[in-house]
Amino acid sequence: MDPKLDDDALMIRTARGEEAAFRLLVQRWEHDVLAFLSAMLGSAEDAEDLAQETFVRIYRNAGNYRPEGMFRSWMLRIAGNLARSRLRRRRIIGWIPFDPTDHDVADQGAGPEAVLQAGQTSDLIRGALARLPDRQREALVLHRFQGMKYKDIATTMGTTLPGVESLIQRALAALRDELSRGDRMP
Amino acid sequence: MKHVTGHLAAYLGGELDQPTRALVDTHLAECAACRAELASFDQVWAMLDVAAAAPVSAGPGLWSGVRSRTVAVDPARVPWFFGRGPWTRRGWAAVAVAAGVFVALVLPGGTGPDGTGPTVLASSDSAGWLSSTWLDDTSNPGLAEQWMLAGLDSDGSAP
Ligand SMILES: [Zn+2]
C-alpha cells in the first residue's frame, strides 16, 4: 500500500475491504484520535477504548463516507460524539473524570526538572479542562491540541463560526479563572 | 470605550479577520484592563501548549483490537456493491434503481419522520453532509438511515 495515498483514497479502498488501506489509515490517525480523546476524557484507558471504537465505526461506515477531503473532520466528529456520550454516562454514575497519572510526560527529551514541571503544568491544565462543559472543552481541545482552525471546528462540531469563537472564549476564561483561583498560574 | 475581551481567544489563536484584528490592536494600545486580560489568557495559552506537547502513545493493542472487530471478523459489513469483479457494474445499477425508488418513496415530504432523516442522502454540500445529524449521538435516525448506517448505534455504545 502506497503510504502517500490520501485519506479519501484509503477510505475508498477500506470500503472495498482492503485491510492494508484500513491499517494505514489507523496508523496515520491513531495518535490524533488518542490525543483528542485523552484531553476530552482525562483517562488514557478510556481514550484507548474509544479510539478503538472510533476506528471500528469508521470501518463499518466506510461505504457511506463521501470522499470530499474532509476525513479528519468526519473522524473527529465520530470521536467527539463517542466522548460526549461517555462523559454523560460517567456523570450519571458519578465518575470523577481526571486521573493525573494517566498520561505519559516522562519522555520529552528535557532534564528531569523540566519534565517534572511540564508534567505538573500538564496535569493542572488537564484537570481544569476536565471540569469545563463538554462543548467548551471539545472546541478548545480541537483548537489547541489538534491545531484546527475555527472554520473546521465549526464543521466538525456542527456549529457556526461565532459559536466556536464563543465556546473557546468562554473555555479560556473559565480555565484562567480556575487556575488563578488556586494561584497556580506561573 | 467598548472592551474587546470577547475577541481575545480568537486574537491569540490568529482567528480574527484583518479589520477586527486592527480594532483589537488599537483598543489594546489604549486599554490597560484589556491588556491585563490578554496577558492572563496568554499564560493559559502557554500552559495549553505544554499540555498539548505531552506525548500520547498508542498501545500496541490498538490496531489488533480494531482489527479483531473489523477486517478479521466482519468482511460481510462491507457493502457488496463495492465488491470487485463482474458484479460491480450490475451492483451499482441495482443501487441506482433502489436509490430512485427510495427517493420517490421517501423524499416527497422533504425529510424523514423526525425532520432530520433521509434528506442527508440528497444533500450535496459537504458541510451540510458532515454537520447533518446522522452521526450525532443525540439524533434519532429514521428507519431508512438506520438501514444505511447499520452498525452506528445512536447512543454511542458498542453494538
Ligand atoms: Zn478594554
Side-chain angles (χ1 to χ4, degrees):
Chain A
M1 191 61 54
D2 180 358
K4 288 195 292 294
L5 282 176
D6 68 18
D7 299 326
D8 284 355
L10 291 176
M11 279 299 279
I12 289 166
R13 285 165 170 77
T14 297
R16 289 194 208 117
E18 291 183 26
E19 178 175 343
F22 182 48
R23 180 171 194 165
L24 195 55
L25 210 54
V26 172
Q27 285 168 341
R28 182 177 292 172
W29 290 109
E30 63 185 7
H31 180 269
D32 271 42
V33 171
L34 275 170
F36 170 68
L37 287 170
S38 165
M40 282 294 288
L41 300 166
S43 149
E45 195 183 328
D46 276 7
E48 183 132 355
D49 180 30
L50 288 195
Q52 192 180 109
E53 186 63 31
T54 300
F55 288 115
V56 169
R57 285 171 191 234
I58 286 170
Y59 179 80
R60 290 185 181 159
N61 289 283
N64 301 306
Y65 174 75
R66 288 197 191 187
E68 295 176 351
M70 302 176 78
F71 176 76
R72 187 167 179 240
S73 291
W74 186 71
M75 172 186 75
L76 289 174
R77 185 172 171 82
I78 294 173
N81 284 341
L82 288 168
R84 266 180 276 119
S85 188
R86 176 67 56 95
L87 290 164
R88 268 200 305 275
R89 211 166 301 171
R90 273 184 190 169
R91 272 192 286 275
I92 291 167
I93 62 171
W95 173 297
I96 298 162
F98 176 64
D99 179 353
T101 63
D102 246 356
H103 67 277
D104 176 17
V105 290
D107 184 27
Q108 301 198 103
E113 218 161 291
V115 168
L116 190 66
Q117 213 164 42
Q120 285 166 347
T121 299
S122 187
D123 286 350
L124 274 178
I125 276 285
R126 284 167 187 267
L129 272 176
R131 287 182 280 278
L132 288 178
D134 294 347
R135 290 192 50 93
Q136 288 182 26
R137 182 191 317 115
E138 185 172 356
L140 188 64
V141 166
L142 287 172
H143 187 49
R144 297 303 289 159
F145 286 61
Q146 297 289 317
M148 278 176 101
K149 306 296 286 180
Y150 281 15
K151 186 173 135 296
D152 298 322
I153 297 170
T155 308
T156 302
M157 293 184 65
T159 184
T160 60
L161 217 51
V164 172
E165 179 172 4
S166 164
L167 283 171
I168 292 179
Q169 179 65 41
R170 282 181 288 149
L172 196 61
L175 282 185
R176 189 266 320 270
D177 293 347
E178 160 136 7
L179 293 167
S180 54
R181 203 167 21 245
D183 199 28
R184 292 179 292 194
M185 300 237 291
Chain B
M1 177 164 62
K2 193 165 179 295
H3 292 301
V4 295
T5 43
H7 286 311
L8 292 178
Y11 180 83
L12 283 169
E15 290 281 349
L16 291 179
D17 57 33
Q18 182 46 42
T20 313
R21 188 174 181 86
L23 279 176
V24 171
D25 278 331
T26 306
H27 180 85
L28 285 170
E30 56 200 31
C31 178
C34 282
R35 279 201 303 276
E37 190 86 347
L38 180 66
S40 70
F41 284 147
D42 194 40
Q43 287 187 346
V44 180
W45 216 242
M47 292 173 79
L48 283 164
D49 280 339
V50 173
V56 178
S57 48
L62 185 75
W63 166 249
S64 62
V66 171
R67 186 179 185 280
S68 71
R69 294 177 57 199
T70 55
V71 283
V73 293
D74 214 9
R77 288 274 196 178
V78 178
W80 58 273
F81 48 83
F82 275 106
R84 290 132 286 199
W87 274 99
T88 305
R89 192 182 302 260
R90 263 192 285 169
W92 277 113
V95 168
V97 170
V101 171
F102 178 76
V103 166
L105 288 176
V106 178
L107 290 190
T111 64
D114 57 0
T116 61
T119 39
V120 63
L121 300 174
S123 166
S124 60
D125 68 306
S126 51
W129 159 69
L130 192 69
S131 60
S132 62
T133 56
W134 69 269
L135 279 173
D136 195 325
D137 55 352
T138 59
S139 71
N140 176 23
L143 198 61
E145 257 180 297
Q146 288 174 9
W147 171 73
M148 287 293 288
L149 296 172
L152 193 79
D153 50 331
S154 63
D155 72 344
S157 61

